Amino acid sequence: MPPSSSTPSSSLKATRPRKSKVQACSTCRKQKSRCEVLETNSAGVRKCHRCTVLKATCSFESDTPSTLPPPPPSEEPPPANALSALAILPGVLAMHRIESHAFDANMTVNVPARFTGPPSRIASVNCTPPVKPYVWTFVSPFVDWSAPMVAMQELAKVPEVGSSSFVIHDECLEHILPQSEVDNLLSTFTVHYAPWLNFNLVRNAPDHAFLDLVCCTIASRYLDSSTRFLIAPRLQNLTRDKIAEMAFNPAGFQSLDTVQALIILAWWAPICGFGAQGDGKMLIGMGVTIAMNMRLNEASARAIKMRTGTLPLNSMDIAEYENTMNRARIWIVLTNTETMLCIGSGRPAVSKRSKSDMELFPILSPNTVEEGRDLRIRLLSEVFDATEQGLQVELTRREDIDAWHDGVSASLASMESLVQLITPLPIVCAEEKFHYHILHCVVLCCRQCVLYNAILNCRKLLEDRYPLDPASPHQWNWFQDIQPHGVNIVPLWGKESIRNAEAVMLFTLQCDPACLATSPDILFAMIAFCGGIVIAMKFFMLRKLGVEMPGSGDLLLDQMVDLMSRASISDNHAPIRYANVVRNMLSTWRKTDKAALVREAWRLHHDFQQQSSTAGQTGSHNKSECGSESSVDSQNRGAGSPLANSQSPGGDFWSEFLQTIPVPQFTSPLGF
């Protein structure tokens, strides 16, 4: 470009006064959305762009001119970088064309060697501390670990990246990509992401633009970096506009395409663009509402009735049966998705699986890919039913300990039976072996959440009797009051929790990074939570018992963090975000003054012995007068000491494994 052509633009930029900050219109302000006035109609009435797209009433229409944002100056050109990006867009698409032959089933995705990513938010979470937090002692007290998945998601958040200086508002997918590129991205999604859905996408409606847009938005992460830089933000902006339009006009989106698109967005947040991560639970909630309005929850019962009918089906009946089966698959996958997102979040799923949903697909050896996907739908339904059963058992009174234990044990036993069914599948099935492998990992993650919640309920029940103060010696033997059917269950579940968490990490390490990169985002939160459990127990053993936990946990954690980093496609991809959380936890463990924690364990042991001695003398006096020893004195004897019968801090590991996760939250000397 000649020098003279750039001079006026530079002069205008230098002399133009700074724009004043104006308040958004009432609609955008309520939705906390960007508010931009980009045009004025022929009558001189001004309306923000978002209200124009959504056909909503804009408060700017009735405002006085003095309160409206100033119109965009017509003489101002877009920024130079935006002009250059628009200018090279056709050339980039032609130069980096995605060839259809590149997306075969054995495609190997080249992912970066490692992303360092932004620092973890373990130290700074902007929220009010819980009144009685049950958090790990080495993590910020602002994170409430009574909902562990929410805590992990909070720690894994990255700072929101601001929007680009030149936002292109596209009206449809065809304005962003030519049809050939759309077809290639849809092929990419079919190869890498459709197997996770366990059903073939249904495109019965004549207009399935929204479903195609969502598939292209998720698959755009596989574009080369230069094309992705230009395309991904525009796809994400258009997707957000469509979701906002859906929120204002849900009746216009009552279709199978919308339900499928919301399932996809709930599992995979768009990456490589601008803005914060999406809220999967909110999106799946919208999908459940639409599905129930469409009566998808009745499809399984209808399909079973058609299948068991006595009359032979004609061609029309067969087509209707297949359509009903597809509706049933979408409904069951929708309920499974909502349950998976709600596990460890502290709130139950709204959708419920019926008896017909559970019986629609038999648990038999699959002979085809479609039968294998139906089998995974059924097994996931069984896993999530067992998980919900274990999480919903409440322990509010000591009189209910036996019944509570039976409910949790039934849940764990059901998962054990499912593990026996799932274990051979990755070996004997010829197709989609990786997805059967991850299915086994999902069962272990759900089992971890049930164990964690059960021990948490135990500690909450005895909160009044055994204080949460770590300096209180009496808090050491709280678990002895939880003995359903005479079994000291808390130490047993604690040891099982450690073994289970390490098993999850082992399963993760057996994954190929390229395959792992396609996993749903919530899976990485579960895996990172299991890694955090191991680190939490390392702190516990050293701080409470004065001994380091044996095993190869450090190597497992290091290799898991490295694998998740290599599986990341961008610095806001779920694997690297959760890898950073575990990396920061592990770094804190390694920087800890371990000798100081051992001395603290000895001090608590000494205080416990002194109080036990005093209580023993009082107990002897009471026994001489009353003829029996009080139960409280019996529990406070020296045998309950964390270092009892030990010549050195810790002693035998398993015999002295007294108190297990979750560790109550205190003001930690380790800090963050």
Side-chain angles (χ1 to χ4, degrees):
M1 183 179 293
S4 59
S5 62
S6 62
T7 305
S9 176
S10 303
S11 176
L12 285 172
K13 184 176 180 180
T15 58
R16 186 176 300 112
R18 183 183 181 89
K19 293 182 180 179
S20 59
K21 186 176 180 180
V22 232
Q23 196 174 30
C25 75
S26 58
T27 304
C28 294
R29 188 164 62 251
K30 183 178 180 181
Q31 299 295 326
K32 297 182 179 178
S33 302
R34 171 187 291 260
C35 185
E36 297 174 303
V37 178
L38 303 180
E39 55 191 355
T40 303
N41 62 17
S42 56
V45 178
R46 302 179 61 192
K47 193 173 182 178
C48 77
H49 175 77
R50 185 170 179 275
C51 291
T52 302
V53 171
L54 301 178
K55 298 180 176 58
T57 303
C58 183
S59 61
F60 286 162
E61 293 177 307
S62 57
D63 286 345
T64 60
S66 60
T67 62
L68 295 175
S74 57
E75 75 279 8
E76 179 181 1
N81 60 343
L83 283 175
S84 60
L86 290 175
I88 67 172
L89 177 57
V92 169
L93 292 177
M95 185 185 308
H96 303 281
R97 178 168 296 278
I98 309 171
E99 300 296 339
S100 59
H101 63 76
F103 302 108
D104 62 310
N106 298 319
M107 171 181 176
T108 301
V109 181
N110 294 323
V111 295
R114 183 166 187 145
F115 280 100
T116 57
S120 173
R121 300 176 71 248
I122 292 179
S124 57
V125 180
N126 296 323
C127 59
T128 304
V131 177
K132 290 184 177 180
Y134 285 80
V135 199
W136 301 333
T137 56
F138 61 99
V139 183
S140 167
F142 295 92
V143 181
D144 183 5
W145 285 80
S146 60
M149 292 303 107
V150 176
M152 292 302 302
Q153 291 165 354
E154 189 67 31
L155 294 175
K157 284 183 179 178
V158 296
E160 181 175 351
V161 180
S163 300
S164 60
S165 57
F166 185 73
V167 180
I168 302 175
H169 294 277
D170 301 286
E171 296 183 358
C172 61
L173 182 60
E174 288 72 18
H175 290 179
I176 303 175
L177 289 170
Q179 187 59 43
S180 59
E181 302 297 341
V182 172
D183 293 340
N184 287 331
L185 286 177
L186 293 179
S187 299
T188 303
F189 184 89
T190 301
V191 170
H192 296 290
Y193 294 93
W196 290 104
L197 300 175
N198 294 320
F199 63 84
N200 295 322
L201 291 176
V202 179
R203 291 182 169 89
N204 292 335
D207 181 16
H208 41 76
F210 181 51
L211 179 58
D212 289 348
L213 169 63
V214 169
C215 293
C216 290
T217 300
I218 302 304
S220 65
R221 62 188 67 184
Y222 286 106
L223 294 169
D224 63 87
S225 57
S226 57
T227 308
R228 187 172 63 203
F229 174 79
L230 296 167
I231 297 302
R234 296 175 64 187
L235 290 172
Q236 293 181 31
N237 286 336
L238 181 57
T239 301
R240 280 196 293 266
D241 288 344
K242 293 298 181 182
I243 293 175
E245 186 177 348
M246 184 189 310
F248 276 94
N249 182 27
F253 289 84
Q254 301 277 348
S255 67
L256 289 179
D257 290 343
T258 302
V259 177
Q260 295 173 96
L262 291 174
I263 293 174
I264 294 169
L265 290 173
W267 272 18
W268 297 284
I271 61 174
C272 309
F274 302 103
Q277 297 79 31
D279 185 353
K281 291 189 286 295
M282 180 197 72
L283 294 172
I284 206 65
M286 295 171 62
V288 169
T289 301
I290 295 173
M292 295 186 73
N293 290 338
M294 297 176 61
R295 304 179 72 173
L296 295 187
N297 53 324
E298 302 173 4
S300 294
R302 179 178 174 83
I304 292 176
K305 184 177 180 180
M306 296 176 68
R307 187 167 59 192
T308 56
T310 56
L311 297 177
L313 299 178
N314 56 36
S315 59
M316 186 176 298
D317 292 335
I318 292 176
E320 183 181 356
Y321 173 73
E322 289 298 328
N323 180 59
T324 304
M325 287 292 292
N326 287 333
R327 292 167 65 91
R329 289 186 181 97
I330 294 173
W331 167 254
I332 300 174
V333 170
L334 179 70
T335 61
N336 288 345
T337 303
E338 187 187 21
T339 302
M340 190 171 184
L341 293 174
C342 289
I343 290 174
S345 69
R347 75 173 184 87
V350 176
S351 59
K352 302 298 179 184
R353 287 169 291 276
S354 65
K355 182 180 179 181
S356 299
D357 296 333
M358 303 299 295
E359 297 175 350
L360 183 61
F361 304 115
I363 302 180
L364 299 174
S365 298
N367 297 316
T368 64
V369 173
E370 288 71 21
E371 289 180 0
R373 293 180 178 182
D374 289 343
L375 175 62
R376 290 203 299 271
I377 291 177
R378 171 67 185 273
L379 291 174
L380 281 171
S381 300
E382 297 284 353
V383 169
F384 293 144
D385 262 20
T387 305
E388 288 182 321
Q389 174 190 352
L391 295 177
Q392 291 172 2
V393 181
E394 296 184 355
L395 180 60
T396 56
R397 302 183 308 165
R398 299 189 186 187
E399 295 80 5
D400 300 332
I401 287 180
D402 289 346
W404 163 82
H405 169 265
D406 294 342
V408 175
S409 297
S411 168
L412 297 174
S414 298
M415 291 186 190
E416 188 64 31
S417 300
L418 290 168
V419 166
Q420 295 178 3
L421 293 173
I422 295 170
T423 300
L425 293 177
I427 301 173
V428 301
C429 292
E431 303 289 340
E432 300 181 345
K433 293 177 176 288
F434 175 72
H435 298 86
Y436 291 110
H437 178 81
I438 292 297
L439 178 59
H440 195 165
C441 186
V442 169
V443 180
L444 296 179
C445 289
C446 291
R447 187 180 184 87
Q448 190 72 44
C449 291
V450 172
L451 289 169
Y452 179 89
N453 185 72
I455 301 175
L456 179 67
N457 284 336
C458 293
R459 191 65 182 93
K460 285 183 176 180
L461 178 67
L462 303 179
E463 186 177 328
D464 56 341
R465 180 172 182 181
Y466 296 94
L468 299 178
D469 183 7
S472 172
H474 293 291
Q475 61 95 20
W476 285 107
N477 57 351
W478 65 267
F479 60 91
Q480 294 179 357
D481 274 10
I482 306 294
Q483 297 198 19
H485 306 295
V487 178
N488 195 4
I489 196 63
V490 174
L492 296 178
W493 281 348
K495 289 182 284 187
E496 183 179 353
S497 179
I498 295 178
R499 291 194 297 266
N500 191 88
E502 291 185 341
V504 169
M505 292 193 290
L506 284 173
F507 269 88
T508 304
L509 292 177
Q510 297 171 20
C511 297
D512 178 74
C515 295
L516 188 63
T518 66
S519 302
D521 295 350
I522 187 63
L523 179 64
F524 296 106
M526 290 181 166
I527 294 172
F529 170 62
C530 292
I533 289 287
V534 174
I535 300 174
M537 289 311 305
K538 287 178 173 292
F539 273 103
F540 164 76
M541 290 298 301
L542 192 63
R543 193 175 189 184
K544 308 299 183 184
L545 303 181
V547 62
E548 289 198 42
M549 188 173 72
S552 55
D554 284 11
L555 290 176
L556 282 174
L557 290 163
D558 281 330
Q559 294 183 29
M560 185 188 74
V561 168
D562 180 69
L563 175 65
M564 292 172 65
S565 300
R566 288 187 288 115
S568 300
I569 297 175
S570 71
D571 57 359
N572 63 344
H573 195 195
I576 186 62
R577 293 192 289 111
Y578 290 105
N580 283 334
V581 174
V582 179
R583 182 185 291 115
N584 279 274
M585 289 181 175
L586 190 56
S587 174
T588 302
W589 161 251
R590 287 170 172 162
K591 294 177 182 177
T592 298
D593 185 353
K594 297 178 176 59
L597 293 186
V598 171
R599 290 193 297 270
E600 177 68 12
W602 270 108
R603 186 189 65 79
L604 289 175
H605 169 62
H606 179 266
D607 293 346
F608 189 95
Q609 293 288 1
Q610 282 190 333
Q611 293 199 19
S612 298
S613 176
T614 303
Q617 295 175 2
T618 305
S620 300
H621 177 72
N622 291 339
K623 185 175 181 180
S624 63
E625 293 182 354
C626 304
S628 63
E629 184 181 20
S630 67
S631 60
V632 175
D633 293 333
S634 176
Q635 291 172 359
N636 286 338
R637 285 177 297 141
S641 167
L643 301 177
N645 304 321
S646 304
Q647 301 301 319
S648 61
D652 179 65
F653 170 69
W654 293 121
S655 65
E656 294 171 352
F657 190 91
L658 302 182
Q659 184 182 4
T660 54
I661 57 146
V663 180
Q665 171 63 31
F666 322 108
T667 303
S668 171
L670 308 178
F672 241 111

